[in-house]
Amino acid sequence: MNLLDALAGNTGASSIVELSLNPLFPRSYNSIYKAIKESFNTTSQEANNEVEEEKEEPNNLIRVVSELIDEPQQRPFHLFALDTTPHPRPYARTLADRGYIYQPNTIIGNKPINIGHCYSILSIEPSKETGNAAPWSIPISGERVSLDKSGVEVGGEQISSVMCDSSLLWDEKLCILVADSAYSQRSFLFEQSKHKNLVVIARVRSNRIFYQSPIIDKSNKKRGCPKKYGERFNLAEVETWHEPDETTLTQQTTRCMSHFKHNPPCLASNVDEGN
């Protein structure tokens, strides 16, 4: 009622703040926002419909984006990339769900942390039309990582949503997901193994320990549970490395080297002859 009085007494107001200065509105200016929010409440059925539409909107957006992506010509699979990105908000004291996030710091001795939000971004990497074309990435899903979840958990939910949608371009086609070492944990890889058309390529930490498959001797059977782990393979200990089954050597010329090959740099000297 105070808001209606202020509107009736100041029809030429150009902003909400100006309405709060009206003598007929004895409350603070933030009460106006609350009044407007409460005045446009709908019925529970309409609210439920809006919630359902909001849930379907991201999928509709992904579907529109997927229709604009061409089939890969230079590779027989669709390439995806998953990672988290920080969004520092150190001065937003009233921002909800704000917490500590990782942020690189070039100053020695300072911890690489900040305060703000963290977002999980799932992108698709279209194949290049030509060899010299610049690579680009198309974000198809972006979700904020809440304080009660990790970026790996949110990323797994994003992948499941994208892979389980039969209306998308890459449905039942070979898909490759690349990620950093944070996504190489067993729980994440196990969940993604449920998607038959998805292959995950993730980096591993330099101190990760693996175990080879055990050698089973069927001629000498023993009682009890069979052996599950073979020889220990520690990435940080060279003496635990076994001989590779196959070695492949490749050569690649970067664009920068190719540029200098055709356009060699000119070195000029401006040193005085007397020196």
Side-chain angles (χ1 to χ4, degrees), residues 23-274:
L24 299 176
F25 192 83
R27 305 174 184 273
S28 59
Y29 75 93
N30 60 339
S31 299
I32 295 182
Y33 294 95
K34 295 180 181 179
I36 295 176
K37 181 179 179 180
E38 296 297 330
S39 299
F40 289 93
N41 279 339
T42 59
T43 61
S44 58
Q45 182 63 33
E46 294 175 348
N48 293 334
N49 293 337
E50 291 179 359
V51 172
E52 293 178 358
E53 291 177 359
E54 291 178 357
K55 291 182 179 179
E56 294 178 356
E57 183 177 357
N59 292 333
N60 292 334
L61 180 60
I62 294 175
R63 192 172 297 109
V64 172
V65 173
S66 66
E67 293 176 355
L68 301 177
I69 301 175
D70 297 331
E71 288 281 356
Q73 303 296 330
Q74 300 181 1
R75 54 177 181 241
F77 56 85
H78 293 276
L79 181 61
F80 295 86
L82 178 65
D83 201 359
T84 56
T85 178
H87 182 54
R89 299 294 300 275
Y91 306 109
R93 299 181 181 274
T94 60
L95 184 64
D97 206 23
R98 189 178 63 145
Y100 289 102
I101 59 175
Y102 172 78
Q103 185 181 23
N105 198 319
T106 56
I107 301 177
I108 300 177
N110 287 357
K111 295 182 178 180
I113 60 174
N114 206 331
I115 300 177
H117 286 160
C118 188
Y119 292 88
S120 177
I121 306 298
L122 176 63
S123 304
I124 186 171
E125 317 295 321
S127 57
K128 295 192 249 184
E129 297 180 357
T130 59
N132 296 327
W136 63 304
S137 177
I138 304 177
I140 58 176
S141 177
E143 297 290 341
R144 183 165 62 84
V145 181
S146 58
L147 295 179
D148 58 343
K149 289 187 177 182
S150 64
V152 177
E153 294 176 348
V154 176
E157 296 174 357
Q158 291 175 282
I159 297 173
S160 298
S161 177
V162 170
M163 291 296 160
C164 295
D165 193 343
S166 59
S167 63
L168 297 178
L169 173 68
W170 46 81
D171 181 52
E172 297 184 355
K173 297 179 181 178
L174 179 60
C175 298
I176 306 295
L177 174 67
V178 293
D180 59 12
S181 58
Y183 299 88
S184 63
Q185 53 185 274
R186 182 175 57 182
S187 59
F188 179 81
L189 296 177
F190 174 74
E191 290 297 327
Q192 305 318 313
S193 64
K194 299 178 181 179
H195 307 294
K196 302 303 181 181
N197 62 325
L198 178 65
V199 176
V200 180
I201 302 177
R203 298 179 59 183
V204 295
R205 301 189 306 270
S206 59
N207 59 348
R208 190 74 175 267
I209 299 176
F210 297 94
Y211 291 90
Q212 300 185 28
S213 300
I215 300 176
I216 301 176
D217 187 5
K218 296 183 179 180
S219 61
N220 186 16
K221 293 185 179 181
K222 297 182 180 179
R223 298 179 61 182
C225 182
K227 192 175 182 180
K228 296 182 179 180
Y229 302 101
E231 296 182 4
R232 185 169 174 267
F233 179 59
N234 190 346
L235 298 181
E237 299 178 3
V238 182
E239 56 272 14
T240 63
W241 298 0
H242 60 274
E243 291 296 328
D245 298 331
E246 183 180 350
T247 302
T248 303
L249 180 63
T250 60
Q251 294 183 357
Q252 182 180 4
T253 302
T254 62
R255 184 185 306 175
C256 181
M257 294 298 295
S258 177
H259 172 76
F260 284 121
K261 181 179 180 181
H262 299 285
N263 302 282
C266 297
L267 301 179
S269 175
N270 57 358
V271 181
D272 296 338
E273 295 181 357

